[in-house]
Amino acid sequence: MQGPTAVPAQAVDASVRAARSGRHAGFGWLVALIALIASAPLLVALSSLFVDTGDIWSHLLTYVLPEAFTNTLLLVAGVATITSLLGVSLAWFVATCEFPGRRFFAWALLLPMAMPGYVLGFALAALFEYTGPLQSGWRATFGADTEFPGLGPAGASILTLSLVLYPYVFLICRQAFASQGVRGIEVAQSCGFRPVQGFFRVSLPLARPWIVAGVSLAIMECLADFGTVQLFNFTTFTTAIYRSWYGLFSLQSALQLSLVLVTLVLGALLLEKRFRGASRYTSTASAGHSRLELGKPQRLSVSLYCAAVLFVAFVLPASLILVWSVRSFGVEFDARYWHLAGNTLMLATMAAALITTVAVLLAFAVRYAPGRMNQALARIATLGYAIPGTVLAVGFFVPVAALSRWINGTLLSDSGTVVALQGGLSVVLLAYMARYLAVAHGPIDSALLRIKSSIEDAARGMGVSGLRLLGRVHVPILRPAIVTALLLVFVDVMKELPITLMTRPFGWDTLAVRVFQLTTEGEWQRAALPALAIVLAGLVPVVILSRRND
């Protein structure tokens, strides 16, 4: 009888290394595939560099680019400052302090996420216009000859975008501060510091990755915004791109301008990476949910502060839209609105599921195979957030249409069947994925930093690795971040307009398309009804997520 054959330890080690190398190569190919798909519009835009645009580029360089560059930087600086101040302060109060209305504000402060920037903008513009209540009250109080201190195009754009985008910072930072608990503040108090000093010395530094992630999302939304800045006639890169396309009828110039915009975003992402560094952050929270007890004046001040932000950012503009909707309901509402709402919800659900799945796979693959190449490819895959929606639409439409022509000319040439992939939802979803992959990837990637490598090592010791490790270990831990990513993408897709407008199947209208059609005709009050429907539909997942995470 022959006994078991002994296997040399060197042979086992070599086999394990070969297996790991194969898995790493597989994850590397996965990251490369996601980056290639997401960056396809960028490659199309790069190809425009070799196209001569004649005198159009010199015209843009002389008359458009200087103003667009200055205004874009001013807009980014203003929005980043205000969103970080609002989002971080509100998140810390709600997550770590006890005050009247805290549970209400925990979800209510997310409500502005459901409102498109151009809707909030025209509601605020109605308040500040010459015949609006603010200027009328000003003239009645200080006299008709006294000039009203308006915000101007820059101030109005910054204020509007800040009020719409601060929930990105609030949502991500609230999760970070909640995971910290009050232990850090208690340690600071035991060392003789007041709670406010403990916030700046302990809580704020520990939350830095989440703050940077939230502000980065707000900045990229700001760089890609068109409706708000166009409403206030504030020239930025996005309006320059649209004017180049629709005013000068030069798609190639629009693509070249988008490359300049992408360069700015790449610089911002590199700065974000430098600020985050290579640190790994873990939770300091205890099992309990204790919060700081404030004095009576402080509790009242915090409640008033939260209420004021909520009133200006949501209650006031939503009330105006509701009044206009009631006035126009008899004229506007019919059976079409049920189809518009169904199409909008279906498209947002499909996009949220697809994009969040891709974001989880991308973040996990880079963590599992953290080479410089994979990290660079992941950055490329998330650059689409800064590319204007119209450029993404054309960037995917062109190659998909070419693929359809190739299929019809080769595989189906004798069958009599004709396919038109560009006429379905594939182009819409691909463009959404490129546009919003960064939205889902930010919170998931930040949450991955909190998972200790010892947990993964323990799972591998029990024979769990690869995608099984993702499904059995990471996904349960990442569940709050995954739900956050789903919500962010869902609400963003519901409000998205250019991609839907240009790449939707024939007759596949959504609520955002209806708003565009009416506002193009100058029917602002008639546009209030579909705008209100977008806001109401976007409220449902906001409320469910907020109460689940509270």
Side-chain angles (χ1 to χ4, degrees), residues 12-72:
V12 174
D13 293 341
S15 176
V16 171
R17 286 196 297 271
R20 289 179 176 175
S21 176
R23 288 195 295 268
H24 288 187
F27 284 118
W29 281 111
L30 176 62
V31 175
L33 177 62
I34 296 173
L36 178 63
I37 295 174
S39 62
L42 188 60
L43 298 177
V44 174
L46 282 172
S47 67
S48 68
L49 288 176
F50 305 100
V51 178
D52 184 13
T53 58
D55 297 331
I56 294 178
W57 182 254
S58 61
H59 168 80
L60 294 174
L61 192 61
T62 304
Y63 299 104
V64 178
L65 278 178
E67 182 183 11
F69 186 79
T70 304
N71 288 352
T72 300

Side-chain angles (χ1 to χ4, degrees), residues 129-155:
E129 68 177 356
Y130 184 80
T131 57
L134 293 181
Q135 289 214 41
S136 299
W138 178 271
R139 290 193 298 272
T141 304
F142 300 102
D145 296 332
T146 306
E147 184 178 357
F148 182 76
L151 295 174

Side-chain angles (χ1 to χ4, degrees), residues 336-352:
R336 293 175 301 168
Y337 275 85
W338 294 111
H339 295 288
L340 294 173
N343 291 343
T344 304
L345 293 174
M346 181 185 300
L347 205 53
T349 303
M350 293 169 62

